[in-house]
């Protein structure tokens, strides 16, 4: 097995392992000061004019919006990976709920809250005692990786693919930043959710040769490409 293929196989395991290690650190309260300082720094650097757009992003990352998008992307996927996608998305939800009931990470205090809306989505009203991991981060990154996996083997022009992927990555980054900025989650919650979402989604495609070969091509470095 070539090094790039080994990397492709190991990557989901590494990401999920990092999620578990981060969960242990969070539960041991090792990141409290880092999380607080990161939120204070971010809120001091970004203008308050972002309160509204980042609050809108909070709504876009809710289960009410992301689950229908996930269902659409599953229908656009190859039939052989659909069952795995559904099972792993369900696992993601279970791990999110498990973390938020077992990992000792209280959410940010109300003094840091910059969410402007006075209402919450139905799932947003479901109270959990803790905050790790961020479900918004986990669902968004899962969907972004899934969308990229659909774009890579498509017949679209290369520049179109590159622009689409860049926009998707920018969307994911904005969602992650918004969760910390509006004071809904700590940075460790967002990082944990992203690790979980990317790792589980990549796991869906490991046995699918079409998607795996495309994802594998991203991992190959220039030094590993054949020389003319």
């Amino acid at each position: 097995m070539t090094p790039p293929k080994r990397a492709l196989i190991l990557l989901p395991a590494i990401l999920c392992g990092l999620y578990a290690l981060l969960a242990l650190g969070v539960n041991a309260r090792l990141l409290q000061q880092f999380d607080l300082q990161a939120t204070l720094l971010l809120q001091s650097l970004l203008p308050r004019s972002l309160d509204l757009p980042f609050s809108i992003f909070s709504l876009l990352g809710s289960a009410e919006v992301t689950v229908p998008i996930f269902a659409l992307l599953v229908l656009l996927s190859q039939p052989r990976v659909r069952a795995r996608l559904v099972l792993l998305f369900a696992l993601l939800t279970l791990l999110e709920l498990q973390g938020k009931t077992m990992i000792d990470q209280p959410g940010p205090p109300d003094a840091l809250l910059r969410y402007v809306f006075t209402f919450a989505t139905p799932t947003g009203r479901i109270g959990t005692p803790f905050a790790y991991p961020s479900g918004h981060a986990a669902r968004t990154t899962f969907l972004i990786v899934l969308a990229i996996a659909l774009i890579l083997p498509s017949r679209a022009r290369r520049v179109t693919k590159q622009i689409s992927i860049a926009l998707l990555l920018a969307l994911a980054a904005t969602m992650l930043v918004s969760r910390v900025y509006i004071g809904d989650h700590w940075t460790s919650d967002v990082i944990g959710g992203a690790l979980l979402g990317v790792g589980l989604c990549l796991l869906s495609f490991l046995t699918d040769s079409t998607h795996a070969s495309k994802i594998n091509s991203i991992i190959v470095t220039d030094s590993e490409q054949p020389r003319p």
Side-chain angles (χ1 to χ4, degrees):
M1 184 181 296
T2 63
K5 288 183 179 179
R6 283 199 298 269
L8 177 62
I9 292 173
L10 289 174
L11 186 56
I14 292 172
L15 294 174
C16 292
L18 289 173
Y19 164 80
L21 287 174
L22 182 59
L24 292 175
V26 166
N27 193 61
R29 302 293 187 93
L30 299 178
L31 300 171
Q32 280 185 305
Q33 193 61 28
F34 163 77
D35 280 331
L36 178 59
Q37 293 302 320
T39 299
L40 292 175
L41 177 62
L42 186 64
Q43 290 188 343
S44 67
L45 291 176
L46 298 179
R48 292 301 299 262
S49 59
L50 291 174
D51 288 8
L52 177 58
F54 277 175
S55 296
I56 293 174
F57 262 85
S58 180
L59 295 176
L60 294 177
S62 66
E64 286 79 3
V65 176
T66 54
V67 170
I69 294 175
F70 169 71
L72 175 61
L73 293 178
V74 168
L75 291 176
L76 295 175
S77 301
Q78 295 293 331
R80 57 183 174 272
V81 300
R82 290 174 183 170
R84 289 198 299 275
L85 286 169
V86 172
L87 288 174
L88 288 169
F89 194 80
L91 177 61
L92 179 147
T93 303
L94 290 175
L95 289 174
E96 177 201 348
L97 293 175
Q98 179 193 42
K100 288 181 174 179
T101 55
M102 298 180 63
I103 298 173
D104 190 8
Q105 170 88 316
D110 290 343
L112 296 175
L113 188 64
R114 292 189 174 181
Y115 184 74
V116 301
F117 298 120
T118 57
F119 63 88
T121 60
T123 55
R125 297 191 187 99
I126 300 175
T128 53
F130 303 122
Y132 181 91
S134 165
H136 282 63
R139 289 188 297 271
T140 299
T141 52
F142 192 105
L143 294 182
I144 293 297
V145 173
L146 176 53
I148 291 174
L150 293 174
I151 290 171
L152 288 174
S154 71
R155 296 183 178 181
R157 295 174 57 189
R158 183 174 180 178
V159 65
T160 302
K161 292 182 182 181
Q162 292 173 338
I163 292 173
S164 299
I165 291 173
L167 291 174
L168 287 171
L169 293 176
L171 175 64
T174 304
M175 177 63 75
L176 301 185
V177 171
S178 72
R179 301 306 292 154
V180 178
Y181 171 83
I182 66 173
D184 260 1
H185 277 286
W186 300 114
T187 301
S188 57
D189 303 334
V190 170
I191 294 174
L195 290 171
L196 189 63
V198 175
L200 291 181
C201 190
L202 285 177
L203 193 60
S204 306
F205 297 105
L206 285 185
T207 58
D208 182 70
S209 58
T210 301
H211 291 94
S213 62
K214 293 294 184 179
I215 297 171
N216 183 66
S217 66
I218 298 176
I219 300 176
V220 179
T221 62
D222 290 339
S223 60
E224 292 167 328
Q225 296 290 344
R227 302 296 180 185

Short mmCIF file of all heavy atoms in Angstrom, two decimals, residues 13-52:
data_model
loop_
_atom_site.label_atom_id
_atom_site.label_comp_id
_atom_site.label_asym_id
_atom_site.label_seq_id
_atom_site.Cartn_x
_atom_site.Cartn_y
_atom_site.Cartn_z
N ALA A 13 -9.46 7.84 11.21
CA ALA A 13 -9.13 7.33 12.55
C ALA A 13 -8.37 8.37 13.35
O ALA A 13 -8.60 8.56 14.55
CB ALA A 13 -8.31 6.05 12.42
N ILE A 14 -7.44 9.08 12.70
CA ILE A 14 -6.66 10.12 13.38
C ILE A 14 -7.58 11.25 13.84
O ILE A 14 -7.49 11.73 14.98
CB ILE A 14 -5.57 10.66 12.46
CG1 ILE A 14 -4.50 9.59 12.21
CG2 ILE A 14 -4.93 11.92 13.05
CD1 ILE A 14 -3.48 9.96 11.17
N LEU A 15 -8.47 11.70 12.96
CA LEU A 15 -9.37 12.79 13.32
C LEU A 15 -10.30 12.42 14.47
O LEU A 15 -10.50 13.21 15.40
CB LEU A 15 -10.19 13.22 12.09
CG LEU A 15 -9.40 13.85 10.94
CD1 LEU A 15 -10.31 14.08 9.75
CD2 LEU A 15 -8.76 15.15 11.38
N CYS A 16 -10.86 11.22 14.40
CA CYS A 16 -11.75 10.78 15.49
C CYS A 16 -10.96 10.56 16.78
O CYS A 16 -11.47 10.82 17.88
CB CYS A 16 -12.48 9.51 15.08
SG CYS A 16 -13.69 9.76 13.74
N GLY A 17 -9.71 10.10 16.65
CA GLY A 17 -8.87 9.96 17.83
C GLY A 17 -8.56 11.30 18.47
O GLY A 17 -8.56 11.44 19.70
N LEU A 18 -8.28 12.30 17.63
CA LEU A 18 -8.04 13.65 18.15
C LEU A 18 -9.28 14.21 18.84
O LEU A 18 -9.19 14.92 19.85
CB LEU A 18 -7.60 14.58 17.01
CG LEU A 18 -6.21 14.34 16.44
CD1 LEU A 18 -5.98 15.22 15.21
CD2 LEU A 18 -5.14 14.60 17.50
N TYR A 19 -10.45 13.88 18.28
CA TYR A 19 -11.71 14.30 18.92
C TYR A 19 -11.80 13.72 20.33
O TYR A 19 -12.15 14.44 21.29
CB TYR A 19 -12.90 13.85 18.08
CG TYR A 19 -14.21 13.90 18.83
CD1 TYR A 19 -14.88 15.10 18.99
CD2 TYR A 19 -14.75 12.75 19.41
CE1 TYR A 19 -16.07 15.15 19.71
CE2 TYR A 19 -15.94 12.80 20.12
CZ TYR A 19 -16.59 14.00 20.26
OH TYR A 19 -17.77 14.05 20.98
N ALA A 20 -11.47 12.44 20.46
CA ALA A 20 -11.56 11.78 21.76
C ALA A 20 -10.53 12.36 22.74
O ALA A 20 -10.84 12.59 23.92
CB ALA A 20 -11.34 10.28 21.60
N LEU A 21 -9.32 12.62 22.25
CA LEU A 21 -8.28 13.21 23.12
C LEU A 21 -8.69 14.61 23.58
O LEU A 21 -8.49 14.98 24.74
CB LEU A 21 -6.95 13.26 22.38
CG LEU A 21 -6.22 11.93 22.18
CD1 LEU A 21 -4.98 12.13 21.31
CD2 LEU A 21 -5.84 11.32 23.53
N LEU A 22 -9.25 15.38 22.65
CA LEU A 22 -9.70 16.73 23.01
C LEU A 22 -10.82 16.66 24.04
O LEU A 22 -10.89 17.47 24.96
CB LEU A 22 -10.17 17.47 21.75
CG LEU A 22 -10.62 18.92 21.94
CD1 LEU A 22 -9.50 19.77 22.53
CD2 LEU A 22 -11.08 19.51 20.60
N ALA A 23 -11.70 15.66 23.87
CA ALA A 23 -12.79 15.48 24.83
C ALA A 23 -12.25 15.22 26.23
O ALA A 23 -12.77 15.74 27.22
CB ALA A 23 -13.70 14.34 24.39
N LEU A 24 -11.18 14.42 26.32
CA LEU A 24 -10.57 14.15 27.62
C LEU A 24 -10.00 15.43 28.23
O LEU A 24 -10.13 15.68 29.43
CB LEU A 24 -9.47 13.09 27.47
CG LEU A 24 -9.94 11.67 27.11
CD1 LEU A 24 -8.73 10.77 26.86
CD2 LEU A 24 -10.82 11.10 28.22
N GLY A 25 -9.33 16.23 27.39
CA GLY A 25 -8.78 17.49 27.88
C GLY A 25 -9.85 18.45 28.33
O GLY A 25 -9.71 19.14 29.36
N VAL A 26 -10.93 18.52 27.56
CA VAL A 26 -12.05 19.40 27.93
C VAL A 26 -12.68 18.94 29.24
O VAL A 26 -12.97 19.75 30.13
CB VAL A 26 -13.10 19.40 26.79
CG1 VAL A 26 -14.41 20.02 27.26
CG2 VAL A 26 -12.57 20.16 25.58
N ASN A 27 -12.90 17.64 29.37
CA ASN A 27 -13.53 17.11 30.58
C ASN A 27 -12.67 17.34 31.81
O ASN A 27 -13.19 17.52 32.92
CB ASN A 27 -13.80 15.61 30.41
CG ASN A 27 -14.71 15.06 31.48
OD1 ASN A 27 -15.86 15.49 31.61
ND2 ASN A 27 -14.21 14.12 32.26
N ALA A 28 -11.34 17.38 31.61
CA ALA A 28 -10.42 17.63 32.72
C ALA A 28 -10.24 19.12 32.99
O ALA A 28 -9.42 19.51 33.83
CB ALA A 28 -9.07 16.98 32.43
N ARG A 29 -10.97 19.96 32.25
CA ARG A 29 -10.92 21.43 32.41
C ARG A 29 -9.52 22.00 32.11
O ARG A 29 -9.11 22.97 32.73
CB ARG A 29 -11.35 21.83 33.81
CG ARG A 29 -12.76 21.39 34.23
CD ARG A 29 -13.83 22.10 33.40
NE ARG A 29 -15.17 21.82 33.86
CZ ARG A 29 -15.83 22.58 34.74
NH1 ARG A 29 -15.26 23.65 35.24
NH2 ARG A 29 -17.05 22.27 35.10
N LEU A 30 -8.83 21.38 31.16
CA LEU A 30 -7.48 21.84 30.83
C LEU A 30 -7.48 23.03 29.87
O LEU A 30 -6.45 23.69 29.71
CB LEU A 30 -6.67 20.69 30.20
CG LEU A 30 -6.45 19.45 31.07
CD1 LEU A 30 -5.67 18.39 30.30
CD2 LEU A 30 -5.74 19.83 32.37
N LEU A 31 -8.62 23.28 29.22
CA LEU A 31 -8.66 24.29 28.17
C LEU A 31 -9.52 25.49 28.55
O LEU A 31 -9.82 26.32 27.68
CB LEU A 31 -9.18 23.67 26.88
CG LEU A 31 -8.35 22.51 26.32
CD1 LEU A 31 -9.08 21.84 25.16
CD2 LEU A 31 -6.99 23.01 25.86
N GLN A 32 -9.90 25.61 29.78
CA GLN A 32 -10.80 26.70 30.18
C GLN A 32 -10.21 28.08 29.89
O GLN A 32 -10.88 28.94 29.31
CB GLN A 32 -11.11 26.58 31.67
CG GLN A 32 -12.17 25.55 32.01
CD GLN A 32 -12.52 25.58 33.48
OE1 GLN A 32 -11.65 25.46 34.34
NE2 GLN A 32 -13.78 25.74 33.79
N GLN A 33 -8.97 28.29 30.29
CA GLN A 33 -8.37 29.60 30.09
C GLN A 33 -8.16 29.89 28.62
O GLN A 33 -8.39 31.02 28.15
CB GLN A 33 -7.02 29.67 30.83
CG GLN A 33 -6.45 31.08 30.96
CD GLN A 33 -7.36 32.01 31.75
OE1 GLN A 33 -8.12 31.57 32.62
NE2 GLN A 33 -7.30 33.30 31.45
N PHE A 34 -7.74 28.87 27.86
CA PHE A 34 -7.58 29.04 26.41
C PHE A 34 -8.90 29.42 25.77
O PHE A 34 -8.97 30.34 24.93
CB PHE A 34 -7.04 27.75 25.80
CG PHE A 34 -7.20 27.68 24.31
CD1 PHE A 34 -6.36 28.39 23.46
CD2 PHE A 34 -8.22 26.92 23.74
CE1 PHE A 34 -6.53 28.34 22.08
CE2 PHE A 34 -8.39 26.86 22.37
CZ PHE A 34 -7.54 27.58 21.54
N ASP A 35 -9.97 28.72 26.12
CA ASP A 35 -11.28 28.99 25.52
C ASP A 35 -11.74 30.41 25.82
O ASP A 35 -12.23 31.12 24.94
CB ASP A 35 -12.31 27.98 26.03
CG ASP A 35 -12.23 26.64 25.32
OD1 ASP A 35 -11.82 26.62 24.15
OD2 ASP A 35 -12.59 25.63 25.94
N LEU A 36 -11.59 30.82 27.07
CA LEU A 36 -12.03 32.16 27.45
C LEU A 36 -11.24 33.23 26.71
O LEU A 36 -11.83 34.18 26.16
CB LEU A 36 -11.89 32.35 28.96
CG LEU A 36 -12.25 33.73 29.50
CD1 LEU A 36 -13.70 34.07 29.17
CD2 LEU A 36 -12.00 33.80 31.00
N GLN A 37 -9.93 33.09 26.68
CA GLN A 37 -9.10 34.08 26.01
C GLN A 37 -9.37 34.12 24.51
O GLN A 37 -9.34 35.20 23.89
CB GLN A 37 -7.62 33.79 26.28
CG GLN A 37 -7.21 33.99 27.74
CD GLN A 37 -7.48 35.40 28.23
OE1 GLN A 37 -7.27 36.38 27.52
NE2 GLN A 37 -7.95 35.51 29.48
N ALA A 38 -9.62 32.96 23.90
CA ALA A 38 -9.91 32.91 22.47
C ALA A 38 -11.20 33.65 22.14
O ALA A 38 -11.28 34.40 21.15
CB ALA A 38 -9.99 31.46 22.00
N THR A 39 -12.22 33.46 22.97
CA THR A 39 -13.50 34.15 22.74
C THR A 39 -13.34 35.66 22.93
O THR A 39 -13.83 36.45 22.11
CB THR A 39 -14.58 33.62 23.70
OG1 THR A 39 -14.78 32.23 23.45
CG2 THR A 39 -15.90 34.35 23.48
N LEU A 40 -12.68 36.05 23.99
CA LEU A 40 -12.49 37.49 24.25
C LEU A 40 -11.68 38.14 23.13
O LEU A 40 -12.00 39.26 22.69
CB LEU A 40 -11.78 37.68 25.59
CG LEU A 40 -12.58 37.30 26.84
CD1 LEU A 40 -11.70 37.43 28.08
CD2 LEU A 40 -13.83 38.16 26.96
N LEU A 41 -10.67 37.44 22.64
CA LEU A 41 -9.85 37.99 21.55
C LEU A 41 -10.67 38.12 20.28
O LEU A 41 -10.62 39.17 19.61
CB LEU A 41 -8.64 37.09 21.32
CG LEU A 41 -7.71 37.50 20.16
CD1 LEU A 41 -7.11 38.88 20.42
CD2 LEU A 41 -6.62 36.46 19.95
N LEU A 42 -11.42 37.09 19.94
CA LEU A 42 -12.22 37.12 18.71
C LEU A 42 -13.26 38.23 18.78
O LEU A 42 -13.46 38.98 17.81
CB LEU A 42 -12.89 35.76 18.50
CG LEU A 42 -13.64 35.59 17.18
CD1 LEU A 42 -12.67 35.68 15.99
CD2 LEU A 42 -14.35 34.24 17.15
N GLN A 43 -13.94 38.36 19.90
CA GLN A 43 -14.97 39.39 20.02
C GLN A 43 -14.38 40.79 20.03
O GLN A 43 -15.06 41.75 19.65
CB GLN A 43 -15.80 39.15 21.29
CG GLN A 43 -16.68 37.91 21.21
CD GLN A 43 -17.63 37.79 22.37
OE1 GLN A 43 -17.46 38.42 23.41
NE2 GLN A 43 -18.66 36.96 22.22
N SER A 44 -13.13 40.92 20.46
CA SER A 44 -12.49 42.24 20.44
C SER A 44 -11.98 42.62 19.06
O SER A 44 -11.91 43.80 18.72
CB SER A 44 -11.33 42.27 21.44
OG SER A 44 -10.27 41.41 21.03
N LEU A 45 -11.67 41.62 18.24
CA LEU A 45 -11.13 41.89 16.91
C LEU A 45 -12.21 42.14 15.86
O LEU A 45 -12.01 42.92 14.93
CB LEU A 45 -10.26 40.71 16.45
CG LEU A 45 -8.93 40.50 17.19
CD1 LEU A 45 -8.24 39.24 16.68
CD2 LEU A 45 -8.02 41.71 17.02
N LEU A 46 -13.36 41.49 16.03
CA LEU A 46 -14.42 41.60 15.02
C LEU A 46 -15.46 42.64 15.43
O LEU A 46 -15.79 42.77 16.61
CB LEU A 46 -15.09 40.24 14.81
CG LEU A 46 -14.17 39.13 14.29
CD1 LEU A 46 -14.94 37.82 14.14
CD2 LEU A 46 -13.53 39.52 12.96
N PRO A 47 -16.01 43.38 14.47
CA PRO A 47 -16.98 44.45 14.80
C PRO A 47 -18.34 43.90 15.18
O PRO A 47 -18.74 42.81 14.76
CB PRO A 47 -17.05 45.24 13.48
CG PRO A 47 -16.72 44.24 12.43
CD PRO A 47 -15.70 43.33 13.02
N ARG A 48 -19.08 44.66 15.97
CA ARG A 48 -20.42 44.25 16.40
C ARG A 48 -21.41 44.18 15.24
O ARG A 48 -22.48 43.61 15.38
CB ARG A 48 -20.94 45.22 17.48
CG ARG A 48 -20.21 45.17 18.80
CD ARG A 48 -20.26 43.78 19.42
NE ARG A 48 -21.60 43.32 19.72
CZ ARG A 48 -22.16 43.39 20.91
NH1 ARG A 48 -21.49 43.91 21.94
NH2 ARG A 48 -23.38 42.92 21.11
N SER A 49 -21.04 44.76 14.10
CA SER A 49 -21.91 44.66 12.92
C SER A 49 -22.07 43.22 12.45
O SER A 49 -22.96 42.93 11.64
CB SER A 49 -21.36 45.52 11.78
OG SER A 49 -20.05 45.12 11.42
N LEU A 50 -21.22 42.32 12.93
CA LEU A 50 -21.30 40.91 12.55
C LEU A 50 -22.29 40.14 13.42
O LEU A 50 -22.53 38.96 13.15
CB LEU A 50 -19.92 40.25 12.63
CG LEU A 50 -18.89 40.71 11.59
CD1 LEU A 50 -17.54 40.09 11.89
CD2 LEU A 50 -19.35 40.35 10.19
N ASP A 51 -22.85 40.79 14.43
CA ASP A 51 -23.79 40.08 15.31
C ASP A 51 -24.94 39.47 14.52
O ASP A 51 -25.29 38.30 14.71
CB ASP A 51 -24.35 41.04 16.36
CG ASP A 51 -23.33 41.41 17.43
OD1 ASP A 51 -22.15 41.05 17.26
OD2 ASP A 51 -23.71 42.07 18.41
N LEU A 52 -25.55 40.26 13.64
CA LEU A 52 -26.70 39.77 12.87
C LEU A 52 -26.30 38.69 11.87
O LEU A 52 -26.92 37.61 11.87
CB LEU A 52 -27.40 40.94 12.17
CG LEU A 52 -28.58 40.54 11.26
CD1 LEU A 52 -29.63 39.79 12.05
CD2 LEU A 52 -29.17 41.78 10.59
#
